[in-house]
Every structure is written in C-alpha cells, then in structure tokens.
Amino acid sequence: MAEPKFNDGVAETIWEEIRTNGMYGRSKNDFYDFVLYTLNKHDPDHFLDENDNATNERLLKISATRIKAAKKNISVKFMDDGEYDQIFCDFIKKISDGGVPSLNDSSDGLSYTMVIEDIALRSIIEGKLKRLTGTTLDYHLNTELVTIGHEAFIRMLGAETEYADPDVKKMLESMVGGMKAGELKKDAVDLIKGITESYEPKNLTTAILKEVAKFVHKRIARALSTK
C-alpha cells in the first residue's frame, strides 16, 4: 500500500487555519477532517479521493463509515466552490475514461447502475437530478450501489454541458452521444429479437426489412424534432 507524499505547504496551511480561523473552537472531528482535507489536497495522488474506502481504512486506521462522514463534512465545511464543483467533474472524467456504464433493462425501464462510495458525490448528483429532472437516485440494499434512469441521466448531463469547462463539455457531449447510441443499439437488438420470435421463417426477410425501415424512419423523425 503506497503511502501518500506531501509537499512543504501542509504544515503552513494547517497552522494558518489554527491561527486565523479558530480551529480550537471547532469540534474534534472538524479539526481531524480539516487535517485530512489538507493532507489530501497536498498529496500529488490525492489519497482520500483516489483510494477506495477499504484502502483508506487500513491507511488511516479508521472505519469506512467514518471516512464517508469525513468526506461529506469536508465538502460542506472546508471546500470552496471550485473544489466542490470539481467533485462532479472528476466523476465525469472517471466515467469518460472507463466508458459509459452498461445500459440495464428492467420493468422500470432503461437505467444505469454504478457504485458511488463518496457521500458528497452522491449528494451532488441527487441535487442535480432533482433540480433538472425531478427524479433522484434509486438506492439498493447497499447505499453505495445506485441506479440512475437512462432519460434522467442524459437530461442531467445535457444540462451540464451548457456551463461546463471546454474539456468537460467535450466529455459530456461524447458521453451523451454514447448513451444515445447504446439505447439505439439496444432498441435495434430488441426489435430484431421481437421480429424473429413473431414471424414464420419464409416471411422473415420481408418482415425484417419492413420493420427496420419503420424503425429508422421513427428515429430520424425523433432526431429532427429535437433539433
């Protein structure tokens, strides 16, 4: 397990906070969380953000529950607006690097399921979903495993492109395109499956051609209507 490395600004930053902002008037947990926040900020690899909670448990000798609480407390009390916004940007970058999450099909419709350990990130995503789409995350028995509806996810990401930085905007646009392509591919597969299950073999070719033509026409009409 790699130990974090800190630059010379750590001690000075902690001292300034103690000296100027009355850290001794805060709770013990607030002080500890500020120290964690500062160490993480001055570590080139940002151990608190990049390590999973299980790794940080062993590194810091505290429980995953306490680590999650610390991250949430840090996001509320110590981060400036730029750092807070960066949490969501980092989430987008990670998804972009790893590809769009797989598209699930259930009785509730199309959705994406993913693991989000960071309570602060979950709170940010929930806030955006509620504000932009009127929905929220769907939690499983494990609160770190969440599901986001396909349409709501696309609407949320599309809304973010309006004021995102150029590099993030490009990633968002690519992700939305990938998600729509995934939906289109899945629709096409389901369509062909439905046709093959519904028609006699001798009529299958004609039926497929007719259905594909209707499918393409419908998609083109939808694309033109949204421009």
Side-chain angles (χ1 to χ4, degrees):
M1 180 169 56
E3 293 285 336
K5 298 182 179 4
F6 310 113
N7 63 35
D8 294 337
V10 175
E12 181 180 346
T13 301
I14 293 174
W15 170 245
E16 276 302 303
E17 186 70 18
I18 292 173
R19 188 178 67 84
T20 61
N21 290 331
M23 284 301 294
Y24 279 108
R26 290 181 179 267
S27 70
K28 178 179 69 175
N29 281 343
D30 276 359
F31 183 78
Y32 289 161
D33 291 347
F34 176 76
V35 171
L36 268 182
Y37 160 70
T38 305
L39 293 175
N40 181 64
K41 188 174 181 178
H42 289 267
D43 171 28
D45 296 324
H46 306 295
F47 71 96
L48 192 62
D49 302 324
E50 298 303 322
N51 289 347
D52 58 50
N53 287 337
T55 300
N56 279 330
E57 273 188 309
R58 291 185 52 77
L59 182 66
L60 301 171
K61 303 300 185 285
I62 57 178
S63 70
T65 300
R66 180 68 192 90
I67 291 170
K68 294 173 191 176
K71 287 182 177 180
K72 177 65 174 177
N73 194 36
I74 286 169
S75 71
V76 171
K77 295 182 180 177
F78 302 119
M79 287 183 175
D80 60 31
D81 290 343
E83 291 172 305
Y84 188 75
D85 292 341
Q86 190 63 40
I87 295 175
F88 185 75
C89 292
D90 290 342
F91 166 69
I92 295 301
K93 289 175 183 176
K94 284 182 180 179
I95 293 182
S96 180
D97 290 342
V100 176
S102 59
L103 192 60
N104 308 312
D105 193 3
S106 68
S107 57
D108 297 328
L110 300 175
S111 63
Y112 298 93
T113 299
M114 62 194 80
V115 174
I116 302 178
E117 288 187 323
D118 191 337
I119 298 177
L121 175 57
R122 292 204 301 268
S123 178
I124 290 170
I125 294 174
E126 283 191 314
K128 291 179 183 296
L129 283 171
K130 288 177 182 177
R131 186 176 72 255
L132 298 169
T133 70
T135 61
T136 187
L137 296 176
D138 181 17
Y139 288 91
H140 298 255
L141 293 177
N142 178 355
T143 57
E144 294 178 354
L145 184 63
V146 300
T147 296
I148 305 176
H150 171 70
E151 291 294 335
F153 204 5
I154 286 182
R155 283 175 58 194
M156 180 189 75
L157 295 176
E160 288 295 313
T161 63
E162 295 182 11
Y163 55 88
D165 292 336
D167 56 336
V168 177
K169 180 176 181 177
K170 186 175 180 180
M171 284 187 288
L172 285 167
E173 290 173 341
S174 175
M175 287 172 59
V176 170
M179 288 177 174
K180 289 182 177 178
E183 178 191 15
L184 183 62
K185 180 179 178 181
K186 189 178 187 311
D187 282 354
V189 170
D190 290 346
L191 172 70
I192 298 300
K193 181 180 177 183
I195 293 170
T196 56
E197 291 174 348
S198 303
Y199 290 91
E200 295 293 330
K202 63 182 180 180
N203 298 322
L204 191 57
T205 301
T206 302
I208 287 176
L209 290 174
K210 287 182 178 179
E211 292 297 330
V212 168
K214 287 193 291 185
F215 172 77
V216 172
H217 180 270
K218 182 177 69 174
R219 281 288 172 171
I220 291 174
R222 182 189 299 182
L224 290 174
S225 68
T226 58
K227 287 186 177 180

